Amino acid sequence: VNTLPKSRSSRLFVKVATAIDSHGSKAVEERLDEMIVSNHKMLNGNSKNKSRADSIVHTVCKHMRLEKEILYGGGRGERERLALNISYYLIKNNTTWTVNEIAVFFGKKSHGSITYGISQIRKLDKKFDQPKIELLKKLENLIVSILKK
């Protein structure tokens, strides 16, 4: 049995649908339900990519000693943002997902934050960001070895 993801956008849809339902607008509620199911089907339609994305997020969080749920939550510090951006970057490079599909996976409303996060990783400065670059290379090698299994 597939359950809907507990992402921020899914929770928002449920809140809006509940509020609309109390006002009697059945058509809008049905449309929101369709959107949630559609996004869920899009991700589950390609289980290999979803499995890879889950592995990447798990590995990044484990390596950076972060709880996975933090990446799906609201507020973030610099370390959490780095973990999220690295996850975006690695998922983009190790799956066939588009940035829109990655956004759905993370419960984002649009792909803008995904694109920006990936660009932040791509433009790391070799001189000033050496620790981050070393971390990225280490995680890339680890991900490649995990995904080969």
Side-chain angles (χ1 to χ4, degrees):
V1 172
N2 287 335
T3 59
L4 293 175
K6 302 287 185 205
S7 68
R8 183 172 51 191
S9 61
S10 293
R11 289 191 304 267
L12 175 64
F13 287 139
V14 170
K15 285 180 186 177
V16 170
T18 304
I20 290 171
D21 188 42
S22 66
H23 291 38
S25 179
K26 192 76 171 162
V28 176
E29 180 183 350
E30 289 172 0
R31 177 67 186 125
L32 287 171
D33 287 342
E34 288 172 18
M35 289 170 63
I36 292 171
V37 171
S38 171
N39 286 344
H40 190 60
K41 283 182 181 175
M42 179 176 67
L43 292 181
N44 283 333
N46 191 337
S47 59
K48 182 177 180 183
N49 280 337
K50 186 171 184 322
S51 174
R52 283 176 169 238
D54 285 334
S55 294
I56 289 167
V57 170
H58 174 77
T59 303
V60 169
C61 288
K62 184 177 177 183
H63 189 79
M64 294 183 73
R65 293 184 174 91
L66 294 170
E67 294 295 323
K68 209 162 92 167
E69 292 74 26
I70 290 173
L71 297 189
Y72 299 100
R76 293 183 184 84
E78 184 180 347
R79 199 162 137 247
E80 290 83 5
R81 172 58 50 203
L82 178 62
L84 201 52
N85 290 347
I86 288 173
S87 296
Y88 297 158
Y89 176 84
L90 293 173
I91 290 170
K92 181 68 179 138
N93 290 338
N94 291 287
T95 69
T96 58
W97 275 352
T98 64
V99 288
N100 288 325
E101 290 168 318
I102 296 170
V104 170
F105 178 75
F106 281 98
K108 304 288 184 186
K109 294 177 199 168
S110 74
H111 68 280
S113 59
I114 308 301
T115 304
Y116 180 76
I118 291 169
S119 75
Q120 292 300 301
I121 296 301
R122 286 185 176 147
K123 71 178 189 181
L124 286 174
D125 186 286
K126 288 183 172 122
K127 182 177 180 183
F128 298 108
D129 296 319
Q130 196 58 38
K132 292 178 184 176
I133 291 171
E134 288 173 12
L135 173 65
L136 177 63
K137 286 180 182 175
K138 190 174 192 178
L139 284 167
E140 280 180 311
N141 292 334
L142 191 56
I143 294 298
V144 167
S145 68
I146 288 171
L147 295 180
K148 282 184 180 178
K149 294 179 183 178

